[in-house]
Amino acid sequence: MEVAQDEEVVIDRVAALDIGKAEMVCCVRVPGQGKRRSQEVRTFSTMTRSLVVMADWLTELGVTRVVMEATSDYVRHEGAWVKWETSWRFG
């Protein structure tokens, strides 16, 4: 078995989504004062209008990477998801 040597990459502006059926919790971490990081957590409804508001917020903060976690099935709503996929690289 080969052992991979992955290079460590630090992503300055990142968001993590915890997706539920009725709501989504979004945690954003961006550079703060000095060497510190700033973190903000917001909860959004899974309705399209709310998802678009979240996407606009992430764009405004300059988020470049979004990771998602869901413990059950979720549906890709065309519109909001398509907007995200074209704007960010999901990791």
Side-chain angles (χ1 to χ4, degrees):
M1 177 188 285
E2 232 179 280
V3 177
Q5 295 292 329
D6 293 332
E7 185 178 318
E8 184 176 313
V9 177
V10 177
I11 301 163
D12 285 337
R13 297 178 174 274
V14 64
L17 307 177
D18 185 358
I19 302 169
K21 185 174 184 177
E23 68 181 20
M24 184 169 3
V25 178
C26 180
C27 175
V28 174
R29 291 181 55 92
V30 296
Q33 296 286 337
K35 293 184 177 186
R36 298 184 58 94
R37 308 259 316 145
S38 177
Q39 176 174 307
E40 185 173 352
V41 177
R42 291 188 186 180
T43 301
F44 297 88
S45 145
T46 55
M47 302 303 289
T48 302
R49 183 179 308 199
S50 185
L51 297 177
V52 170
V53 169
M54 183 178 66
D56 290 344
W57 175 58
L58 296 176
T59 300
E60 190 177 292
L61 292 174
V63 170
T64 58
R65 178 77 58 94
V66 177
V67 294
M68 301 185 302
E69 185 273 333
T71 54
S72 63
D73 295 335
Y74 60 91
V75 177
R76 289 177 154 226
H77 295 282
E78 296 301 325
W81 288 103
V82 171
K83 178 178 179 179
W84 295 358
E85 289 175 347
T86 58
S87 300
W88 301 308
R89 177 181 169 202
F90 286 83

